[in-house]
Amino acid sequence: MIPAAAAVVAVASELVHRSDRSFAVACTPDTVRVGHMRRITAAHLRQWKVSGATADHIVLAVSELVTNGIQHGQGDIGLSVRYTPGEVRVEVTDGSPSPAHLTYAEDGDVSGRGLFLVAVLARDWGVSDDGKTTWCTFPVPSGRR
């Protein structure tokens, strides 16, 4: 198994910050980066002993928010994930001042459900006052499983 730190260095454009309970990565807005960000997040969640459905939901949220940043944002994408007792917080930042907003896709639509999934799976979600950061939080049960 590759340690989380090695996974970050191997696939990220730029490691901005890393500690025992958080990391931040910046990348170019390229769709190939979505998979990289999922793998980086999953590696850190394993290190923090966050697993099961909780980890799956967090990784899915990272995928959806990074994809939104690439498709609708401007400039580089920043991903920050922080583990605190009882919670994991995910933040994705791009250069667009237009805030992410919830849309409702029709049955035949092939996209437009990402933020809805985040809203359903996360404890809470929102957008920063400047519209550039979309965040969500997930409860982490005691025992982190």
Side-chain angles (χ1 to χ4, degrees):
M1 180 188 310
I2 298 173
V8 171
V9 173
V11 298
S13 293
E14 179 183 353
L15 176 62
V16 178
H17 165 79
R18 182 173 190 283
S19 74
D20 288 344
R21 294 189 179 232
S22 67
F23 71 92
V25 181
C27 68
T28 56
D30 184 335
T31 56
V32 72
R33 296 297 186 191
V34 176
H36 295 165
M37 296 302 172
R38 281 194 309 261
R39 288 188 293 279
I40 292 166
T41 302
H44 279 85
L45 293 173
R46 283 190 302 275
Q47 183 180 34
W48 300 332
K49 299 187 181 2
V50 176
S51 61
T54 302
D56 293 343
H57 294 168
I58 294 166
V59 171
L60 178 60
V62 165
S63 182
E64 296 300 336
L65 294 180
V66 170
T67 298
N68 281 353
I70 291 168
Q71 291 180 345
H72 306 292
Q74 298 172 358
D76 288 346
I77 305 298
L79 167 66
S80 172
V81 180
R82 183 175 60 243
Y83 167 73
T84 57
E87 182 176 272
V88 170
R89 181 180 178 95
V90 174
E91 296 180 353
V92 174
T93 303
D94 64 63
S96 175
S98 299
H101 61 280
L102 195 59
T103 60
Y104 297 95
E106 298 294 326
D107 289 342
D109 293 344
V110 295
S111 65
R113 294 173 183 83
L115 200 50
F116 179 76
L117 287 171
V118 172
V120 168
L121 297 173
R123 173 190 297 166
D124 197 11
W125 76 277
V127 179
S128 63
D129 290 341
D130 66 1
K132 296 181 180 186
T133 301
T134 304
W135 58 267
C136 56
T137 60
F138 293 86
V140 177
S142 62
R144 296 187 255 174
R145 304 244 176 227

